[in-house]
Amino acid sequence: MSNYHIKQFEEYFQVYRKSVRNPEQFWEEIAEEHFTWKKRWSNVLSYDFKKAEFKWFEDAKLNITENCIDRHLHTRGDKTAILFEPNNPDDEAEHITYKQLHERVCKFANVLKSKGIKKGDVVCIYLPMIPELAISILACARIGAIHSVIFAGFSATAISSRINDCNAKMMITSDGSYRGSKTIDLKSIVDEALNETPGIESVLVAKHIQSDINMKDGRDFWLAPLLEDTSSDCAAEVMDAEDPLFILYTSGSTGKPKGMVHTIGGYMVYTAYTFKNVFQYREEDIYWCTADIGWITGHSYIVYGPLANGATSVMFEGVPSYPDYGRFWNIVEKHKITQFYTAPTAIRALAKQGTEFIEKYDLSSLKVLGSVGEPINEEAWHWYDENVGKKKSPIVDTWWQTETGGIMITPIPFSTPTKPTYATLPFIGVQPALMDENGQELKGNQVEGRLCIKFPWPAMARTIWGNHQRYKDTYFSAYDNMYFTGDGALRDEVGYYRITGRVDDVIIVSGHNLGTAPIEDAINEHPAVSESAIVGFPHDVKGNALYGYVTLKDVGESRNHENLRMEINQLITDRIGPIAKLDKIQFTEGLPKTRSGKIMRRILRKIAANETDQLGDTSTLLNPEVVQDIINNVK
Ligand code: WTA
């Protein structure tokens, strides 16, 4: 028997040792015993860190939807696979059984085929958190099309640049979405994006908010009538384990977003195995991850990981504050949620409301609480533990990334003793290393450095779509024979890891990764702006908020600064989306630069964080005088 389900701390160590002593044998056993393959692999793993090439389960054939749906039909056909909780609490929740999911995915897959989508084609999806989102993803996977989900909060410009980058042929969207008391007209955003995307041949539109929208003849099609006329038989395409499953964009510290490519076999094995253990999932559980499927957390831990285990996975369309701040707890009580997985920013926002909203609801069904997306601060950790978990439900602080595909550092609940703000220990098969700035590995405990991973794991991203060189440069060139995460971390006296935050120019705002470069590019488009620099500063709900230092072309210009601020934020909203708006904008005479002309963000970060006593030596700057000027005029 393989070690599919770890139940004790001792067992964790045993299995961990086995997984790193002989990774190939370990993953082979897991893959063999718990998944359905159409053909076995010829080789478990081959890799070359220098070329940044990694292959797991080479030559194996499978279809991930057979693993996530078909194989459960005999034993769990009438079990709820997806439990959809709509935005409006008065609307009924929808229980989609595995049988129904099978039928809906097959029909959807046939619709894709009827519109000319074939294996290897890229399909972009821009949908709210409604069942069609999960179903369209699975329908792509059924026929071997590569899905690329774009979070439905991104702007038209962000959508078109992603569509063009991945050469998508089709877009799947809806008339609109509900967000609390608001509705958002998604289709008009898509229409604007599609003015710039010659490659898109067809658009499928789900009717959701019943709004009046523009449908372009010959290009746009309502989904419902197409689905109605379609057969529910759709054989699963035979895929190679290393064929791409999806592309998901994530911010980089420079340049445009990176289309991270995940492949089928390794991703499936790893997300399923981590889901089972990190959430100690059992057959009767009702699992809820509050993330949006537009992010990696939703891909791996709303769709693929849970369904591969035959779980019931909740999809929530709404927001935590609607109709009031008790909504999450209302849902926990209503569906008797057993595992609840959310982000620190949500916990902080809810904690701000006090405990009055929590006390109204029975949360006794909860067994495991999860946190993901950014470091969880001590206060939020304790609030979560005391008020939500009633000190009985272990908190799994799970560290991972879009690039890692699945959870990498985490406690195993009921086994690993937790420690506030610590992601604790590497998951099975994960070999972390802390590196110093000179490229030396920091051995032993009580050290702090840059977090790297020393050995391949099955769910690692395989490349950046269309730009393998960038993949190699970003992740595999900082240190030899290692994957560099971009995060800093420390290892405490017992070997527990605590993630200290990004060491590059990615800023995590409310759990969303934002690169400084695209935001600065958007600001610099403003005709009055000469230069800009963005840094993060601590924010009590969002974790970090954005501070922009902006120099104007005509310094003496008497334009109203408040108007300029609004215009700049509007530009950011148009180019990227409202999540990237700046909280503070300071107009400066200049930006501190090194003699080679590089903006010294480190200094700007200290000023934004009000730590001006820790600026260090500024005398070597090209223009040291601007520093004092900036400090004197802090926003
Ligand atoms: C951060 C989200 C501290 C980290 C799954 C990482 C975390 C980035 C944690 C990836 C955590 C994620 N503790 N920091 N538990 N989880 N991060 O790609 O900086 O959206 O590099 O993936 O989020 O964000 P991404």
Side-chain angles (χ1 to χ4, degrees):
M1 257 309 273
S2 73
N3 306 95
Y4 194 67
H5 189 180
I6 296 152
K7 300 191 197 69
Q8 285 163 11
F9 204 31
E10 256 320 293
E11 199 182 349
Y12 159 79
F13 284 109
Q14 252 173 32
V15 179
Y16 183 79
R17 276 195 293 273
K18 190 167 148 188
S19 74
V20 299
R21 260 189 217 136
N22 195 339
E24 279 95 337
Q25 189 192 336
F26 176 79
W27 288 111
E28 174 158 57
E29 273 176 30
I30 297 282
E32 201 158 46
E33 289 179 24
H34 299 279
F35 300 89
T36 304
W37 304 85
K38 289 176 191 287
K39 180 179 161 245
R40 218 185 129 84
W41 42 89
S42 57
N43 191 18
V44 178
L45 167 67
S46 64
Y47 66 99
D48 182 332
F49 272 104
K50 289 215 163 44
K51 294 188 181 152
E53 285 175 2
F54 307 91
K55 287 191 176 134
W56 283 90
F57 310 114
E58 215 169 337
D59 300 324
K61 302 285 181 197
L62 77 162
N63 188 292
I64 195 167
T65 69
E66 289 188 330
N67 282 274
C68 288
I69 310 172
D70 304 49
R71 68 176 169 138
H72 305 310
L73 293 176
H74 284 308
T75 46
R76 308 182 176 103
D78 295 319
K79 176 176 174 178
T80 302
I82 292 176
L83 201 175
F84 172 62
E85 170 71 23
N87 176 66
N88 183 343
D90 299 330
D91 291 346
E92 227 167 281
E94 190 182 344
H95 292 253
I96 303 171
T97 65
Y98 273 94
K99 266 191 203 143
Q100 291 164 334
L101 183 64
H102 182 255
E103 186 179 325
R104 289 176 71 171
V105 168
C106 287
K107 280 184 165 235
F108 206 121
N110 283 330
V111 169
L112 295 180
K113 282 201 221 167
S114 75
K115 293 290 166 214
I117 299 299
K118 305 177 304 292
K119 178 174 179 169
D121 287 342
V122 180
V123 173
C124 277
I125 303 174
Y126 187 73
L127 279 171
M129 280 287 286
I130 55 177
E132 285 77 5
L133 175 50
I135 291 166
S136 58
I137 282 177
L138 293 162
C140 289
R142 185 89 180 165
I143 64 169
I146 303 165
H147 56 80
S148 186
V149 181
I150 302 171
F151 171 63
F154 278 120
S155 71
T157 319
I159 299 171
S160 56
S161 68
R162 284 162 172 78
I163 289 177
N164 291 333
D165 185 74
C166 67
N167 284 322
K169 278 174 76 173
M170 178 191 261
M171 175 59 142
I172 303 174
T173 188
S174 68
D175 49 358
S177 67
Y178 297 110
R179 251 188 104 66
S181 55
K182 288 191 285 198
T183 54
I184 299 166
D185 183 0
L186 292 186
K187 178 62 167 48
S188 70
I189 301 174
V190 168
D191 285 341
E192 194 190 331
L194 297 194
N195 287 331
E196 314 288 330
T197 57
I200 292 287
E201 292 167 7
S202 54
V203 181
L204 303 182
V205 188
K207 208 180 207 97
H208 183 53
I209 64 168
Q210 322 295 333
S211 64
D212 216 4
I213 58 162
N214 173 48
M215 293 290 281
K216 185 169 169 184
D217 232 17
R219 186 195 70 182
D220 301 352
F221 304 92
W222 288 109
L223 248 174
L226 293 175
L227 286 167
E228 230 163 72
D229 289 346
T230 309
S231 143
S232 55
D233 274 336
C234 178
E237 188 75 33
V238 180
M239 302 299 291
D240 197 279
E242 281 296 338
D243 280 335
L245 175 62
F246 64 85
I247 303 167
L248 188 61
Y249 285 85
T250 188
S251 305
S253 43
T254 55
K256 56 182 189 174
K258 301 169 287 193
M260 304 311 307
V261 177
H262 282 283
T263 59
I264 303 170
Y267 177 82
M268 172 184 77
V269 169
Y270 193 79
T271 54
Y273 183 56
T274 44
F275 175 77
K276 174 80 181 166
N277 288 293
V278 174
F279 299 102
Q280 287 293 303
Y281 167 73
R282 286 167 196 272
E283 191 64 42
E284 64 284 1
D285 289 345
I286 311 285
Y287 160 88
W288 180 23
C289 165
T290 71
D292 192 290
I293 293 177
W295 309 114
I296 191 70
T297 306
H299 280 60
S300 302
Y301 298 109
I302 295 178
V303 182
Y304 289 113
L307 298 181
N309 282 281
T312 298
S313 180
V314 174
M315 262 182 91
F316 174 45
E317 181 187 11
V319 292
S321 55
Y322 179 81
D324 63 35
Y325 280 95
R327 187 66 194 277
F328 273 7
W329 321 126
N330 169 245
I331 295 173
V332 168
E333 177 184 279
K334 177 172 166 193
H335 297 302
K336 301 198 168 46
I337 304 293
T338 43
Q339 290 92 348
F340 177 73
Y341 191 28
T342 196
T345 184
I347 299 167
R348 288 189 296 261
L350 293 166
K352 255 194 149 169
Q353 305 301 320
T355 53
E356 151 203 5
F357 290 104
I358 282 208
E359 282 155 10
K360 285 195 223 156
Y361 299 100
D362 175 7
L363 306 186
S364 60
S365 56
L366 289 172
K367 294 192 301 193
V368 176
L369 303 178
S371 171
V372 59
E374 56 182 311
I376 180 166
N377 51 307
E378 186 127 13
E379 208 182 335
W381 195 99
H382 285 295
W383 188 86
Y384 199 24
D385 183 41
E386 283 159 26
N387 298 295
V388 183
K390 320 285 181 203
K391 294 196 154 201
K392 290 193 316 254
S393 305
I395 296 176
V396 288
D397 178 358
T398 63
W399 173 84
W400 58 294
Q401 309 177 296
T402 305
E403 295 86 335
T404 68
I407 294 167
M408 300 290 280
I409 302 184
T410 178
I412 292 192
F414 310 107
S415 300
T416 318
T418 57
K419 176 172 175 183
T421 78
Y422 282 74
T424 74
L425 295 172
F427 187 73
I428 306 300
V430 174
Q431 302 188 36
L434 296 179
M435 305 298 292
D436 71 13
E437 283 175 26
N438 308 317
Q440 296 302 311
E441 182 173 354
L442 298 160
K443 304 267 185 180
N445 290 337
Q446 290 189 294
V447 288
E448 179 167 356
R450 294 171 174 223
L451 179 61
C452 293
I453 312 289
K454 288 198 275 196
F455 195 82
W457 64 101
M460 67 197 299
R462 301 297 196 264
T463 191
I464 291 174
W465 185 261
N467 199 346
H468 194 69
Q469 187 63 41
R470 188 175 179 199
Y471 175 70
K472 223 161 76 173
D473 293 345
T474 311
Y475 304 107
F476 301 97
S477 62
Y479 304 100
D480 285 344
N481 297 319
M482 283 191 197
Y483 164 81
F484 173 50
T485 64
D487 282 315
L490 61 81
R491 193 161 51 222
D492 76 358
E493 64 287 355
V494 297
Y496 274 18
Y497 288 85
R498 176 187 188 168
I499 311 301
T500 49
R502 300 290 309 184
V503 294
D504 56 9
D505 287 330
V506 171
I507 305 170
I508 308 211
V509 178
S510 299
H512 304 319
N513 288 9
L514 299 171
T516 49
I519 305 176
E520 289 163 4
D521 289 348
I523 300 172
N524 298 348
E525 278 182 39
H526 193 288
V529 170
S530 156
E531 266 199 305
S532 60
I534 304 298
V535 298
F537 71 99
H539 184 280
D540 62 354
V541 173
K542 301 187 207 179
N544 293 297
L546 299 178
Y547 195 123
Y549 297 89
V550 178
T551 57
L552 298 175
K553 282 190 179 139
D554 179 0
V555 189
E557 197 184 8
S558 59
R559 285 199 54 180
N560 179 311
H561 279 185
E562 265 330 296
N563 285 348
L564 272 177
R565 287 192 177 95
M566 271 161 48
E567 288 164 24
I568 286 172
N569 265 332
Q570 190 55 47
L571 259 174
I572 295 173
T573 306
D574 293 344
R575 296 291 177 269
I576 301 159
I579 49 174
K581 281 206 291 202
L582 310 182
D583 270 43
K584 291 188 185 174
I585 301 177
Q586 178 178 353
F587 295 105
T588 66
E589 305 256 320
L591 298 170
K593 291 195 181 153
T594 62
R595 285 173 193 270
S596 59
K598 223 176 142 214
I599 297 171
M600 285 291 279
R601 285 204 176 67
R602 184 181 56 77
I603 291 175
L604 295 173
R605 267 195 290 271
K606 292 284 177 201
I607 298 174
N610 203 10
E611 292 171 355
T612 43
D613 52 327
Q614 298 167 33
L615 289 184
D617 183 14
T618 56
S619 63
T620 57
L621 291 174
L622 186 67
N623 48 354
E625 70 286 353
V626 302
V627 174
Q628 197 53 46
D629 181 64
I630 293 175
I631 295 173
N632 293 344
N633 293 296
V634 160
K635 198 34 206 145

